[in-house]
Amino acid sequence: MEFSEHIKTANVEDVVLRQPLHPPSRGTLCITGHHLLFSDREEGSSRQLLLLLRNIDAVEKRISGSSGTITIKCKDMRVLHLDIPGMEQCLNIAHSIETLSCLDGVAAMYPFFYRPSDLSLQNQWGLSSTEKYYSQMKELHNRWRLSSVNRDYSVCPSYPPAVIIPQNTDDDMLKKVAKFRQGGRFPALCYYHRKNGMVILRSSQPLTGANRKRCREDEHLLQAVIDGSDKGYIIDTRSSQQAQQARMTGGGFESKSSYSHWKRLHRQMERGKALQESLIKLVEACGDESHNMDRWLSKLENSKWLSHVQTALSTAGLLAECVERDGHSVLVHGSEGTDSTLLISTLAQLIMDPCCRTLEGFLALLEREWVQAGHPFQQRCAHFAYSHARLQQESPVFLLMLDCVWQLWRQFPLALGFSEALLLRLATEAYASDYGTFLCNSHQERCALGVTENTHCLFQALLRPTERDYYSNPLYEPTELAIWPSVHPQSLQLWRGFFLRWTQQARQLEEAQEEIRNMVIEWGKMALS
Amino acid sequence: MFYTQLYSQEKHLSLLNKSTNGTLYLTATHLIFVESSSNNSTSILHHHIASVEKLSLTTTGCPLVIQCRNFRVVHFVVQRERDCHDIYSSLLRLLRPVSYEELYAFSYNPKQNDQQREEGWQLIDLGAEFERMGVPCDQWQLTDVNRDYKVCETYPRDLYVPITASKPIIVGSSKFRSKGRFPVLTYFYQEKKAAVCRCSQPLSGFSARCLEDESLLQAISKANHNSRFVYVMDTRPKLNALANRAAGKGYENEDNYSNIRFQFVGIENIHVMRTSLQKLLEVIGTRSLNMSDYLVGLESSGWLRHIKAVVDAAIFLTKAVTVEGASVLVHCSDGWDRTAQVCSLGALLMDPYYRTMKGFMVLIEKDWISFGHKFADRCDQLDGDPKEVSPIFTQFLECVWQLTEQFPQAFEFSEWFLLQIHEHVHSCQYGNFLGNNQRQREELQLRERTHSLWAFLMSEKQNYLNPFYSPAYSEVHPVLAPSTLPYNFKSVFWRNMYHQFDRSMHPRQSILKAILTLRDNSRNAESTLQALETLQLQLPPATSRLPHSGGTHKPQRSAAAGGGRGGGG
């Protein structure tokens, strides 16, 4: 295998592993193409650590005398130390980890090699798709149609082959609309609100540019959406100033004069680099073990992470309010329409739609809104907060979404069918995974690499009977009502389960929660008997 | 009473962030608002009102803002300015009682006979509590030196001191301690025979000594064979203690006391705490507060820093006693604020008994009520010196809450128990917290004339249980070792305390409530099952299968019912 050229030293004996929540242990370290394996050789214990190299975000080495220490910082926030005898061995190991943890070729990644005995590649891949959603929503059919204009990804490279668009918009029109929207992401339906027939669409920004270009087809398409209704809302995830500025670089917004029945609402959401920097600061703050309360609060504030949580939830609340309370359809976009757009449309659906709140429903929602809608996972999740590499396209939007869902879950502990464990698992899997679900940046790329044929699907795996219980909420009581979150700062919290997961205290709490969970399941069974 | 007036005009009320129309009634004890649409009523006890403010007239009427001691804030809009002024001035008089007899406890009558009331007061017995700890024993004894409150009028009558401490030593020591509060036993850790003692600061000035005081500390040290020294914890910041020396007070000089290890802990005084909470409340009272301002405000209020300091001190105490087996003497200035916080919180960490409902009542009765925390002054029960008011007890309850969050299985009670106690510390509805010390309480004849909160809470025990409580957990972890790393202070902030009445900020669904219901259902199912099994034994096998019946049984009880409202009566 071509990995071997990166592995100069495959095995080292007498290595000491220090990791959170465990006493140090001595054993053998082994590097393979995809994993770091440590086996404890101490009498009476046989602990093993199997770490996906992809999970490693940063490697730091310190040589002192004839031995060295490698510090490994993982994308799941774990920090490990390996004391390795022999300077050369230490350098070799560090070099192998550094290289192998960020190899570029997707096809060489572990999901293409992962073959667990209880899963078969013949199993169904995925839970949901645009086609499936369309066929389930019979009410949609007289006004909306399924178009396969994008079957070869030529109209929009980041969209899936099938899209839902207004009945009276033909494919040629769509092609023109696509040219008027950044990255070809024309307005397409992502949610139908059964209670009042209103919809959520998402797109990218219109390419109006400095000379206020118009596109009749785009205007026509949007008009068709609100036929029979007095107006629609456009939620732009940028401030109006940012939207104005975007015109200078060829982007823009829907002007009042060309889209007279649409009311634009601007909500500035942080994106891209700024979000990644926020995560880096928060993670740094969470690693601070000093006993200074003021410093902690000031670092927490300075990271702005909780502000982003607050903004995301309140913008999602606004979107849901437009649809559910105000009874109007909404188009959501920012600039590219692959990040904050997806964030708020996901959250709004959770708020309004009980079907999204079951374990399957939530996973299906993520599949439609993130995986298929073209959130560029590979770019966004290339590095976590420790990496020394120069920031490129990294941005923790998906993690921010999971954090917001956690906040919802805390405020409505009975209304969601899944557990915190699921959110934690997803947060880890998005950055490094045995499964193919979060590989690549778009449907097109996954298709080209044969991801569905050659890897296993995470969502299917999570629904296996053996896993399912662990990811379900034993207190789940479905409700038809919308779940409106409170977005007061006093109601939002740091997601300790994720950001402090490797601390002693978090572990103790986790154990307590596990016991409580078992108790609750026991009572539940009893009450049903 | 002459100032009892009844108002029945239409009033406009904004409660729970929503406005409703209704009628406002003012009675001798309560302010009652009845919504005209639903007949729901909200009553606010006068004693709960911390301040009333009349704002300038608006087009809808005259706004009246009422701030309560349980952190509720209510806005009324009264249509006619004259009415508003009448209510305002009546309230001003009502909320500044000048004598204890005016307090609600003396008129509150829960329809109990004298015997029931008497039993209520007997529920907590501190003599029995010291016996539970293993005192008196071969090293510690009960002294009658304060039988008539002659040596220290802010201490209880019954005090425990080392066997070897003679009366002259005690009396001598008391003269060398602020307010005569000489070192006495408050908790005995039987396993290591280590004692937690408390007192006030010594009147040492720059160089004064007192041989009796030195012998008393010597006696405390000698009473514990596990350690050659006794820790003296001065819970104040060093600077404050130094400043006190100029006033003839101060702290123990290690050179004069042969067997002590002296330690400053650095908890701020009542004035700093009062200002800190005020700042916190200002911050969280801001309309449409954004996250940054909130976090900056939390930081600058310093409130969490103070909470952490108190918990840290309790951890230091606990470690000294349980790990090192050393006895500890705790003091601050007068030994009734910080000392009470640290001693009681330390005992809570050391002894699982105090984490039960009854045990927690005993703990408050012992370290706060009997040892003379000045509830009347600190909680502003009578119109008094505003500089004496300070949220020391509230702060203690918040520390306890932080612990319950870190150890969800270790406490028999839920946060609603803490909130209910807080509610009644300020309601003056029960006699327990009235006055500043035991002597004053006896003079007021509280046991004869008022009712005990503890009996009431015990009768409502079901409402305050923590469903996750596991006695087995406490057997494995008798001593709790909380983390005070800043990020372990959960949720940053106790929402149910400071925003209890602001419904919009709370989780819309309560896990606690759901779990209690579930548990009850399961218990019902269990008893149904047992009943069925009994039946099964009596019936021939063919007819023994009955349809399921457990799951549909729904008891009507709400977990939060007891905690949500104050007042009553």
Side-chain angles (χ1 to χ4, degrees):
Chain A
M1 213 185 293
E2 67 268 42
F3 303 119
S4 57
E5 67 193 62
H6 300 298
I7 305 175
K8 284 192 203 126
T9 301
N11 276 295
V12 193
E13 299 284 343
D14 221 19
V15 172
V16 175
L17 167 71
R18 285 174 288 137
Q19 57 176 330
L21 311 171
H22 294 287
S25 53
R26 191 176 290 275
T28 308
L29 177 73
C30 174
I31 301 285
T32 72
H34 292 111
H35 288 100
L36 177 155
L37 175 69
F38 177 87
S39 355
D40 192 335
R41 286 291 155 80
E42 234 122 296
E43 282 291 312
S45 81
S46 55
R47 266 213 318 269
Q48 282 205 335
L49 170 84
L50 182 68
L51 186 71
L52 205 55
L53 290 174
R54 197 83 204 159
N55 192 353
I56 296 172
D57 201 36
V59 185
E60 286 154 22
K61 45 188 185 283
R62 219 184 55 235
I63 304 290
S64 63
S66 63
S67 72
T69 298
I70 298 180
T71 300
I72 293 174
K73 297 181 174 173
C74 300
K75 294 170 181 170
D76 61 7
M77 297 204 55
R78 233 180 319 179
V79 177
L80 314 173
H81 304 279
L82 295 164
D83 299 333
I84 297 172
M87 189 175 83
E88 199 188 328
Q89 298 193 85
C90 180
L91 292 175
N92 285 347
I93 296 281
H95 179 76
S96 301
I97 297 175
E98 270 167 359
T99 320
L100 291 167
S101 62
C102 46
L103 282 185
D104 273 336
V106 175
M109 285 183 188
Y110 188 59
F112 288 93
F113 300 87
Y114 179 58
R115 297 291 175 262
S117 55
D118 59 338
L119 286 173
S120 153
L121 286 177
Q122 267 69 55
N123 287 354
Q124 190 202 338
W125 219 93
L127 305 169
S128 182
S129 63
T130 320
E131 292 92 331
K132 214 164 160 184
Y133 186 75
Y134 185 77
S135 69
Q136 282 164 355
M137 295 284 165
K138 298 269 182 285
E139 303 93 325
L140 266 178
H141 295 186
N142 50 11
R143 293 195 48 219
W144 297 81
R145 72 184 183 92
L146 200 62
S147 162
S148 52
V149 65
N150 199 38
R151 76 183 79 82
D152 55 358
Y153 309 103
S154 61
V155 179
C156 173
S158 62
Y159 267 172
V163 286
I164 304 171
I165 46 142
Q167 195 66 261
N168 57 1
T169 313
D170 61 40
D171 285 357
D172 289 333
M173 274 172 76
L174 272 186
K175 286 178 188 160
K176 286 183 185 148
V177 176
K179 291 211 171 68
F180 185 63
R181 294 273 172 178
Q182 183 173 358
R185 293 177 71 92
F186 52 84
L189 179 138
C190 70
Y191 174 66
Y192 177 79
H193 196 50
R194 277 200 164 113
K195 281 183 206 153
N196 59 12
M198 294 299 134
V199 302
I200 299 177
L201 302 121
R202 41 178 163 67
S203 72
S204 58
Q205 65 179 340
L207 302 174
T208 49
N211 47 9
R212 299 173 195 276
K213 218 167 64 192
R214 290 179 64 169
C215 170
R216 302 284 166 197
E217 290 79 6
D218 193 78
E219 291 163 24
H220 178 87
L221 186 151
L222 287 186
Q223 189 55 43
V225 171
I226 49 169
D227 244 358
S229 168
D230 58 329
K231 66 173 173 198
Y233 289 104
I234 294 170
I235 294 184
D236 193 324
T237 63
R238 305 163 294 178
S239 67
S240 59
Q241 199 191 0
Q242 284 172 328
Q244 289 281 359
Q245 279 166 359
R247 285 178 34 223
M248 297 306 133
T249 48
F253 53 90
E254 295 82 357
S255 69
K256 190 81 208 149
S257 53
S258 321
Y259 301 84
S260 54
H261 292 287
W262 287 86
K263 185 171 167 43
R264 252 184 312 118
L265 304 167
H266 289 278
R267 287 291 181 278
Q268 184 182 351
M269 294 180 67
E270 212 52 80
R271 60 195 75 231
K273 214 173 193 168
L275 210 53
Q276 180 72 12
E277 274 159 6
S278 167
L279 176 70
I280 291 172
K281 281 185 193 159
L282 179 65
V283 169
E284 201 268 320
C286 291
D288 183 354
E289 300 268 291
S290 78
H291 270 271
N292 187 326
M293 180 64 80
D294 291 355
R295 190 153 91 195
W296 158 248
L297 286 173
S298 129
K299 280 184 167 182
L300 183 63
E301 189 278 320
N302 193 251
S303 80
K304 300 280 181 231
W305 182 263
L306 285 171
S307 300
H308 302 323
V309 170
Q310 189 188 26
T311 312
L313 274 173
S314 65
T315 312
L318 173 75
L319 169 56
E321 219 166 8
C322 291
V323 176
E324 156 106 13
R325 289 193 175 146
D326 204 54
H328 287 98
S329 291
V330 185
L331 167 67
V332 188
H333 70 71
S335 31
E336 290 163 309
T338 52
D339 297 286
S340 47
T341 303
L342 309 182
L343 171 60
I344 70 162
S345 81
T346 304
L347 294 174
Q349 290 181 52
L350 268 177
I351 292 172
M352 289 186 287
D353 184 3
C355 303
C356 300
R357 301 184 206 135
T358 63
L359 177 59
E360 287 94 335
F362 179 60
L363 294 176
L365 175 72
L366 295 185
E367 186 166 41
R368 284 194 311 273
E369 289 296 284
W370 293 81
V371 179
Q372 290 170 2
H375 176 67
F377 279 100
Q378 197 189 329
Q379 291 174 354
R380 299 291 183 257
C381 301
H383 286 292
F384 191 69
Y386 298 113
S387 172
H388 305 297
R390 204 167 55 84
L391 281 188
Q392 290 177 327
Q393 302 275 329
E394 291 85 358
S395 186
V397 199
F398 188 70
L399 183 62
L400 181 60
M401 182 274 296
L402 293 175
D403 193 330
C404 293
V405 176
W406 179 78
Q407 309 279 351
L408 262 179
W409 180 83
R410 265 198 62 261
Q411 294 191 21
F412 296 92
L414 315 180
L416 300 172
F418 45 88
S419 64
E420 180 177 8
L422 179 79
L423 301 174
L424 289 170
R425 175 85 187 260
L426 291 169
T428 312
E429 297 281 340
Y431 282 90
S433 179
D434 293 343
Y435 298 90
T437 301
F438 296 123
L439 289 178
C440 304
N441 294 310
S442 66
H443 201 279
Q444 182 181 19
E445 286 181 28
R446 274 187 292 274
C447 205
L449 286 168
V451 166
T452 51
E453 295 82 32
N454 298 311
T455 72
H456 294 287
C457 168
L458 172 67
F459 297 151
Q460 290 287 0
L462 294 178
L463 293 175
R464 277 179 294 179
T466 46
E467 309 264 307
R468 201 187 177 99
D469 266 358
Y470 184 60
Y471 296 114
S472 303
N473 175 5
L475 289 173
Y476 178 49
E477 261 175 42
T479 166
E480 284 301 308
L481 300 172
I483 50 173
W484 301 103
S486 158
V487 296
H488 295 286
Q490 293 96 314
S491 311
L492 303 175
Q493 285 185 17
L494 176 69
W495 184 13
R496 294 155 47 98
F498 181 78
F499 291 106
L500 301 170
R501 69 199 289 191
W502 302 106
T503 61
Q504 192 66 43
Q505 224 52 35
R507 187 44 58 98
Q508 276 176 17
L509 260 183
E510 210 174 288
E511 278 165 19
Q513 277 162 0
E514 193 49 40
E515 258 177 66
I516 289 166
R517 190 183 148 83
N518 292 336
M519 225 151 74
V520 169
I521 292 173
E522 225 16 69
W523 291 334
K525 279 189 199 146
M526 209 53 201
L528 285 175
S529 66
Chain B
M1 276 177 201
F2 77 97
Y3 46 69
T4 304
Q5 298 174 17
L6 202 69
Y7 285 88
S8 57
Q9 288 94 354
E10 283 288 296
K11 302 290 185 299
H12 190 221
L13 170 84
S14 123
L15 197 83
L16 322 173
N17 299 345
K18 270 190 238 155
S19 309
T20 38
N21 282 311
T23 311
L24 194 62
Y25 299 91
L26 202 57
T27 74
T29 52
H30 289 81
L31 182 72
I32 302 168
F33 178 79
V34 183
E35 288 175 37
S36 39
S37 55
S38 61
N39 257 5
N40 281 344
S41 73
T42 307
S43 54
I44 297 171
L45 197 60
H46 297 326
H47 299 314
H48 268 146
I49 300 177
S51 72
V52 190
E53 204 185 341
K54 205 167 76 120
L55 305 180
S56 48
L57 198 65
T58 66
T59 47
T60 46
C62 189
L64 201 62
V65 182
I66 294 178
Q67 309 247 15
C68 301
R69 297 187 205 283
N70 52 9
F71 307 111
R72 175 183 225 163
V73 182
V74 193
H75 295 252
F76 290 103
V77 178
V78 186
Q79 271 173 3
R80 286 166 53 193
E81 198 191 3
R82 249 203 68 192
D83 294 339
C84 186
H85 186 77
D86 285 349
I87 300 172
Y88 175 70
S89 44
S90 306
L91 278 177
L92 278 191
R93 265 175 299 157
L94 284 165
L95 62 88
R96 292 268 168 265
V98 287
S99 79
Y100 283 105
E101 271 71 18
E102 289 174 48
L103 296 178
Y104 187 34
F106 292 96
S107 57
Y108 172 63
N109 181 4
K111 301 199 176 60
Q112 281 183 352
N113 59 36
D114 283 353
Q115 197 199 335
Q116 285 169 312
R117 180 171 62 194
E118 189 54 31
E119 280 168 14
W121 281 110
Q122 281 159 3
L123 188 65
I124 306 293
D125 174 357
L126 290 185
E129 169 56 12
F130 278 95
E131 250 170 63
R132 187 194 68 85
M133 292 179 209
V135 177
C137 61
D138 60 343
Q139 297 294 335
W140 293 87
Q141 64 176 357
L142 177 66
T143 171
D144 60 2
V145 69
N146 204 38
R147 266 288 127 85
D148 308 310
Y149 298 113
K150 287 255 168 63
V151 178
C152 174
E153 57 174 10
T154 58
Y155 266 173
R157 289 178 192 271
D158 291 343
L159 294 166
Y160 296 82
V161 293
I163 296 265
T164 51
S166 64
K167 262 184 200 172
I169 288 184
I170 294 173
V171 174
S173 163
S174 80
K175 296 204 165 108
F176 187 64
R177 294 276 168 180
S178 188
K179 308 281 197 302
R181 294 170 68 92
F182 61 92
V184 292
L185 182 79
T186 178
Y187 179 69
F188 189 64
Y189 187 68
Q190 226 168 342
E191 202 183 310
K192 300 247 166 109
K193 305 266 180 250
V196 178
C197 300
R198 55 185 289 171
C199 62
S200 61
Q201 64 183 336
L203 304 175
S204 52
F206 290 101
S207 59
R209 290 182 63 165
C210 168
L211 292 177
E212 289 92 340
D213 194 63
E214 289 162 28
S215 343
L216 184 51
L217 261 71
Q218 180 84 352
I220 291 173
S221 174
K222 286 264 168 63
N224 177 356
H225 303 304
N226 277 318
S227 173
R228 283 182 293 109
F229 60 87
V230 50
Y231 279 105
V232 176
M233 268 176 88
D234 190 327
T235 55
R236 299 168 294 181
K238 188 172 183 184
L239 212 62
N240 299 21
L242 282 172
N244 262 302
R245 289 206 304 191
K249 299 164 187 172
Y251 56 92
E252 292 81 356
N253 183 339
E254 261 179 302
D255 298 340
N256 299 339
Y257 294 83
S258 49
N259 295 329
I260 67 163
R261 285 208 184 161
F262 188 84
Q263 177 81 34
F264 284 112
V265 179
I267 303 174
E268 300 287 351
N269 65 25
I270 60 167
H271 311 293
V272 175
M273 299 308 186
R274 179 180 54 243
T275 320
S276 170
L277 185 60
Q278 264 164 6
K279 272 192 198 156
L280 177 79
L281 294 174
E282 264 167 46
V283 170
I284 61 175
T286 315
R287 277 185 181 272
S288 49
L289 181 64
N290 74 33
M291 186 56 84
S292 278
D293 291 345
Y294 168 66
L295 290 174
V296 168
L298 264 187
E299 185 198 331
S300 69
S301 78
W303 183 248
L304 283 172
R305 176 158 40 86
H306 301 317
I307 296 280
K308 175 172 153 53
V310 176
V311 180
D312 276 332
I315 292 173
F316 180 88
L317 170 63
T318 304
K319 275 201 183 134
V321 171
T322 61
V323 180
E324 293 182 51
S327 293
V328 184
L329 173 64
V330 184
H331 73 73
C332 45
S333 299
D334 289 322
W336 50 42
D337 293 308
R338 292 170 268 207
T339 301
Q341 287 180 326
V342 174
C343 290
S344 54
L345 212 54
L348 195 69
L349 292 177
M350 285 184 247
D351 193 333
Y353 174 65
Y354 295 126
R355 294 173 228 144
T356 64
M357 216 173 272
K358 173 89 180 285
F360 193 66
M361 295 174 182
V362 168
L363 186 65
I364 292 178
E365 189 73 34
K366 175 167 71 73
D367 272 316
W368 293 83
I369 297 175
S370 88
F371 277 116
H373 173 68
K374 301 201 291 174
F375 278 104
D377 290 358
R378 298 290 178 261
C379 303
D380 206 14
Q381 288 170 356
L382 299 184
D383 197 10
D385 181 0
K387 284 220 160 58
E388 284 284 312
V389 180
S390 186
I392 300 303
F393 188 71
T394 306
Q395 194 170 47
F396 161 70
L397 291 179
E398 179 164 344
C399 293
V400 177
W401 174 75
Q402 291 283 0
L403 296 177
T404 63
E405 289 286 305
Q406 270 196 36
F407 303 99
Q409 294 158 292
F411 291 81
E412 190 193 12
F413 46 86
S414 69
E415 68 175 310
W416 294 105
F417 184 58
L418 302 175
L419 290 167
Q420 189 72 333
I421 292 173
H422 184 258
E423 183 85 10
H424 285 299
V425 164
H426 293 282
S427 74
C428 303
Q429 186 173 344
Y430 296 92
N432 310 60
F433 300 103
L434 300 193
N436 284 323
N437 52 57
Q438 291 298 59
R439 183 186 174 164
Q440 207 178 7
R441 284 181 198 107
E442 282 173 22
E443 282 166 11
L444 289 168
Q445 296 177 296
L446 292 175
R447 278 178 168 249
E448 290 77 38
R449 300 170 63 197
T450 71
H451 296 266
S452 167
L453 171 66
W454 306 135
F456 165 71
L457 291 179
M458 269 304 176
S459 72
E460 290 209 315
K461 191 171 179 179
Q462 286 303 318
N463 293 342
Y464 311 119
L465 288 176
N466 166 19
F468 309 129
Y469 174 57
S470 147
Y473 178 89
S474 289
E475 264 168 43
V476 185
H477 305 95
V479 178
L480 300 182
S483 158
T484 56
L485 276 171
Y487 52 61
N488 280 320
F489 282 79
K490 174 132 184 231
S491 18
V492 188
F493 161 83
W494 193 5
R495 199 173 40 221
N496 279 337
M497 173 67 101
Y498 304 108
H499 282 307
Q500 193 189 146
F501 299 94
D502 217 333
R503 294 289 157 78
S504 68
M505 285 188 196
H506 292 282
R508 306 306 206 276
Q509 297 175 325
S510 152
I511 290 199
L512 193 65
K513 206 166 141 180
I515 282 175
L516 285 172
T517 315
L518 189 63
R519 194 189 54 181
D520 288 352
N521 286 350
S522 99
R523 289 198 175 150
N524 285 335
E526 211 166 348
S527 51
T528 317
L529 212 65
Q530 274 167 7
L532 286 177
E533 274 162 10
T534 327
L535 209 60
Q536 214 168 4
L537 293 175
Q538 296 160 359
L539 292 170
T543 54
S544 66
R545 269 273 157 257
L546 292 173
H548 301 309
S549 58
T552 51
H553 215 84
K554 281 236 165 89
Q556 296 293 309
R557 193 168 61 68
S558 134
R565 294 264 165 264

